[in-house]
Amino acid sequence: MSKQSGRWSPHDRERRSWLRGAPPPGWVRVLPVALLAGVCVVTLADPERLDIGFLLGAIPPLAVLSYGPVATAALGGLVVAVLSIPAFHLNDPGSTDLLTVCFVAALSVVVSFVRSRRDAQLVTERAVAEAAQRAVMPPLPERVGPVRCAGLYRAAERGTLVGGDFFDVRAGPRGVRAVMGDVQGHGLAAVATVAALLGAFREAVLDERDPESLAARLDRRLVVDSAGVPHSELFATAVLLDFSAEADAIRIVTCGHPPPVVLRQGGVVELQVPTGTPLGLGLSGTRPPVGLTVPLRRGDRLLLASDGVWEARDDTGSFYPLTERLADFADDEPAVLAQHVWADLVRYSRTLHDDVTVLVLAPTARDSP
């Protein structure tokens, strides 16, 4: 799951910038060599012998951006050699301080060595983060039983692969069940809670008889986790879906989370689902959530979105009109639909402050009578 940053295009947000750990672009790697060659050519071609040797002092620091210590040392050596060759007339007194260039070149080699070591460490840490992400929330399969699935997740904290949103789709003895939720907080601090809730959901899918019982199970998980923690405010919002055996109906329970919308025959149907209490407040026993059963037709798709989608704003402070925009994507396949919503969202909102999560479910249901 690729977690898709002025205004960046959707593709820009999908990629890491070279200033944020990605390999440098080609022009950055070519720049030191091009500058060295350019100074040499101009100096030899100009009969007035322009005093531009000072530009060579920039080559070792530029090499640090994209080269390791060996290549940086080689470029620094070439700079010193060019300054020392009489044909270039760059070694005349008053043109360039050779000792200063030598010092800058040596210092650049040291900086390049340190940068290379840090880059290697960041690569390792990113690999560990990706492994943790896949362990906590692995990519969805294209199909779970009679339901086609597509999920998209982008963490709010730049450079972070996991955060406070979660979703999963599982098949159990009573049919296919899905969950989307948002725990308190963002980034790595919320990962432990996400892991606990997903673990509880995956176990409850095998045991619980309905989504109301699933919600109570997740609520109890958070209550137990926060027990003994002074002033704990651990809670999460969630929506749980329970498909019938033939995926021609679905029961929906919401716990403080926006309900799904249904894309049907080129239009968008907003469901009026009773909103229950967020998970973790220990109220499921006294105020159990109330679900809503909705019949499904062939071609229906359900789209679930997190607060990061519903509450995104443009430059004027207006909320992102998700249901209005969905009409433009009503005929898309699940995976394409999720990507189109993401691309449209980043065009609409200059800055996203919350995790963005989209889950699309397309049951292969029979037409309801």
Side-chain angles (χ1 to χ4, degrees):
M1 179 172 44
S2 61
K3 289 183 174 296
Q4 312 145 352
S5 311
R7 182 186 301 261
W8 291 12
S9 72
H11 297 292
D12 289 332
R13 292 200 183 207
E14 291 284 323
R15 297 193 302 263
R16 284 182 294 148
S17 164
W18 70 279
L19 296 177
R20 298 183 181 278
W27 66 268
V28 176
R29 299 181 63 85
V30 172
L31 186 58
V33 178
L35 182 59
L36 177 60
V39 170
C40 293
V41 171
V42 171
T43 302
L44 292 175
D46 194 328
E48 296 183 1
R49 304 298 184 186
L50 292 177
D51 185 12
I52 59 173
F54 68 92
L55 295 176
L56 297 177
I59 291 177
L62 288 174
V64 171
L65 296 176
S66 52
Y67 292 101
V70 175
T72 302
L75 286 169
L78 287 174
V79 169
V80 173
V82 169
L83 289 172
S84 304
I85 296 175
F88 291 108
H89 293 274
L90 295 173
N91 59 338
D92 294 337
S95 296
T96 303
D97 189 340
L98 183 60
L99 292 178
T100 299
V101 173
C102 290
F103 174 77
V104 171
L107 183 61
S108 297
V109 171
V110 174
V111 174
S112 178
F113 174 77
V114 174
R115 182 194 59 79
S116 299
R117 295 292 297 271
R118 292 191 65 182
D119 284 353
Q121 181 181 1
L122 289 174
V123 168
T124 301
E125 291 176 352
R126 186 171 184 85
V128 172
E130 289 176 347
Q133 178 194 28
R134 295 189 183 98
V136 173
M137 199 166 66
L140 288 177
E142 293 184 2
R143 178 183 291 270
V144 178
V147 180
R148 291 182 297 154
C149 312
L152 181 144
Y153 177 66
R154 302 293 182 268
E157 292 188 9
R158 190 170 296 176
T160 302
L161 298 178
V162 288
D165 286 2
F166 62 94
F167 57 76
D168 199 4
V169 184
R170 296 278 165 160
R174 294 174 175 82
V176 175
R177 291 170 171 180
V179 64
M180 172 182 279
D182 182 2
V183 307
Q184 176 196 25
H186 303 288
L188 296 177
V191 175
T193 305
V194 168
L197 284 173
L198 285 176
F201 169 77
R202 290 159 185 166
E203 287 187 5
V205 162
L206 304 176
D207 303 325
E208 301 299 342
R209 65 185 182 276
D210 51 43
E212 288 86 351
S213 301
L214 275 172
R217 182 87 162 258
L218 300 184
D219 177 77
R220 186 167 66 250
R221 174 74 271 166
L222 287 186
V223 171
V224 170
D225 288 350
S226 61
V229 180
H231 311 294
S232 174
E233 297 180 355
L234 185 62
F235 66 90
T237 63
V239 55
L240 297 113
L241 309 180
D242 187 1
F243 289 90
S244 63
E246 296 184 353
D248 55 0
I250 187 171
R251 188 160 181 81
I252 306 168
V253 169
T254 66
C255 301
H257 198 281
V261 296
V262 179
L263 282 73
R264 174 177 293 164
Q265 298 179 343
V268 179
V269 179
E270 298 186 57
L271 302 177
Q272 303 300 318
V273 184
T275 302
T277 305
L279 303 173
L281 301 182
L283 300 177
S284 59
T286 57
R287 297 174 58 187
V290 178
L292 174 70
T293 299
V294 179
L296 298 175
R297 304 173 186 173
R298 185 177 300 276
D300 282 357
R301 275 153 300 154
L302 294 101
L303 184 138
L304 298 88
S306 65
D307 289 342
V309 178
W310 290 102
E311 298 179 1
R313 298 172 183 259
D314 63 7
D315 294 337
T316 66
S318 300
F319 288 111
Y320 176 66
L322 175 61
T323 54
E324 298 176 16
R325 301 294 186 109
L326 282 177
D328 296 333
F329 318 129
D331 298 325
D332 291 340
E333 289 297 306
V336 178
L337 173 59
Q339 291 293 338
H340 278 173
V341 171
W342 166 250
D344 189 57
L345 180 67
V346 297
R347 284 193 297 266
Y348 183 87
S349 180
R350 182 179 298 272
T351 304
L352 299 174
H353 299 287
D354 201 355
D355 298 340
V356 170
T357 308
V358 177
L359 177 62
V360 182
L361 304 172
T364 53
R366 301 176 304 176
D367 290 328
S368 297

